[in-house]
């Protein structure tokens, strides 16, 4: 397993938390609400790691975008237009439009070193069947690879690897954060809704993916000093992008409700 760990900057405040952000499709919008609440509570984030949608949110935040600003950018974007068929033997859809969108807002030449907060992204090397961590150098291609859902999206070729969604093997990437000397807070946006009906093949596929992702998260939850997993997210589906406002509020309100526990982490209690 390839692993590049972020280097803690000496000029950062010592009392910070590290955040591991899971993937989860539209449910990843809840991460924006979590970050907005942390900003409001004046709880500084010293390092971030992310998979898939969690990686995208983490990069925008680390690049200096306010969480509500990212929410507005998302709401002004036509999600269906971000995908187009490529008729590839390796995937049904391409990510060219997604790449153009990210490059327009983040800058085409953005590097990990340009971010104001260290970020580590996890992707899955499809051929080697292993997790790969990126925290240095070019940012855009690892970010796209981290979010490329297998079969649905064509893999992203980078550094001799075929990269797909990092959540496939690690949907709560705490490992890069454990050695930084900061409390690790895991933010998991895929709580299982065990009572949800499964009336269609699409719902069955969504549940199957959720079960698979949950399996690789269980042991990583136990390594977090604190886990944020808003139970209300059970009511939302991975493609509920039209409910962005609601998803943001779920993450925001839930995190405010855990303020005392979060503050205790920084106090060393």
């Amino acid at each position: 397993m390839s692993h590049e760990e972020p280097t803690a900057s000496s000029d950062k405040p010592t009392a910070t938390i590290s955040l591991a952000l899971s993937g989860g499709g539209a449910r990843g919008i809840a991460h924006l609400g979590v970050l907005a609440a942390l900003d409001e509570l004046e709880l500084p984030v010293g390092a971030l790691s992310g998979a898939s949608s969690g990686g995208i949110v983490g990069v925008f935040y680390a690049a200096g975008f306010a969480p509500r600003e990212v929410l507005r950018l998302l709401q002004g974007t036509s999600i269906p237009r971000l995908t187009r068929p490529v008729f590839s033997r390796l995937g049904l859809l391409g990510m060219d439009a997604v790449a153009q969108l990210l490059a327009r807002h983040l800058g085409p030449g953005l590097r990990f070193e340009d971010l104001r907060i260290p970020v580590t992204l996890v992707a899955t090397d499809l051929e080697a069947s292993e997790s790969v961590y990126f925290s240095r150098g070019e940012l855009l291609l690892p970010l796209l690879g981290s979010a490329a859902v297998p079969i649905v999206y064509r893999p992203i070729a980078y550094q001799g690897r075929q990269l797909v969604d990092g959540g496939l093997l690690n949907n709560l990437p705490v490992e890069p954060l454990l050695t930084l000397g900061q409390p690790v807070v895991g933010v998991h946006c895929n709580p299982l809704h065990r009572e949800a009906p499964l009336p269609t093949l699409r719902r069955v596929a969504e549940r199957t993916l959720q079960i698979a992702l949950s399996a690789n998260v269980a042991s990583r939850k136990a390594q977090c000093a604190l886990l944020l997993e808003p139970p209300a997210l059970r009511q939302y589906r991975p493609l509920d992008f039209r409910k962005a406002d609601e998803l943001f509020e779920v993450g925001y309100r839930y995190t405010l409700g855990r303020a005392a526990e979060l503050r205790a982490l920084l106090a060393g209690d």
Side-chain angles (χ1 to χ4, degrees), residues 36-244:
L38 292 176
D39 285 349
E40 186 173 314
L41 295 169
E42 298 183 342
L43 298 173
V45 176
L48 290 155
S49 66
S52 198
S53 58
I56 293 174
V57 168
V59 165
F60 269 91
Y61 184 74
F65 287 78
R68 294 184 190 277
E69 181 182 3
V70 181
L71 177 65
R72 288 192 294 271
L73 290 176
L74 176 64
Q75 291 173 317
T77 300
S78 172
I79 300 300
R81 291 181 182 177
L82 292 182
T83 59
R84 66 177 181 83
V86 293
F87 305 108
S88 166
R89 62 187 176 87
L90 297 177
L92 301 176
L93 302 173
M95 296 191 77
D96 292 347
V98 179
Q100 292 171 10
L101 177 70
L102 293 174
R104 183 164 69 249
H105 293 297
L106 294 171
L110 186 68
R111 299 174 64 83
F112 282 94
E113 292 82 359
D114 298 325
L115 301 174
R116 65 185 182 91
I117 300 172
V119 171
T120 300
L121 299 174
V122 62
T124 301
D125 183 330
L126 192 59
E127 294 177 341
S129 301
E130 66 180 13
S131 293
V132 191
Y133 298 82
F134 298 96
S135 59
R136 300 183 182 91
E138 180 182 352
L139 192 149
L140 183 58
L141 287 178
L143 183 58
L144 291 170
S146 178
V149 179
I151 302 175
V152 177
Y153 290 107
R154 182 174 56 191
I156 300 297
Y158 183 64
Q159 294 185 345
R161 299 178 182 269
Q162 295 293 319
L163 301 179
V164 295
D165 196 315
L168 185 64
L169 294 179
N170 187 349
N171 202 35
L172 193 65
V174 299
E175 292 87 343
L177 307 175
L178 294 174
T179 61
L180 299 182
Q182 307 167 1
V184 176
V185 176
V187 189
H188 185 242
C189 61
N190 289 299
L192 282 174
H193 188 358
R194 303 180 190 279
E195 294 78 33
L198 302 172
T200 66
L201 180 60
R202 174 178 286 185
R203 292 292 183 95
V204 171
E206 289 175 0
R207 174 65 66 82
T208 302
L209 179 60
Q210 270 195 290
I211 292 172
L213 295 181
S214 294
N216 75 53
V217 163
S219 64
R220 294 177 169 102
K221 288 181 180 180
Q223 298 181 73
C224 297
L226 185 67
L227 178 69
L228 302 180
E229 187 180 53
L233 291 178
R234 295 191 185 103
Q235 308 300 324
Y236 297 89
R237 299 174 60 196
L239 297 178
D240 276 343
F241 288 98
R242 293 183 179 180
K243 299 179 179 179

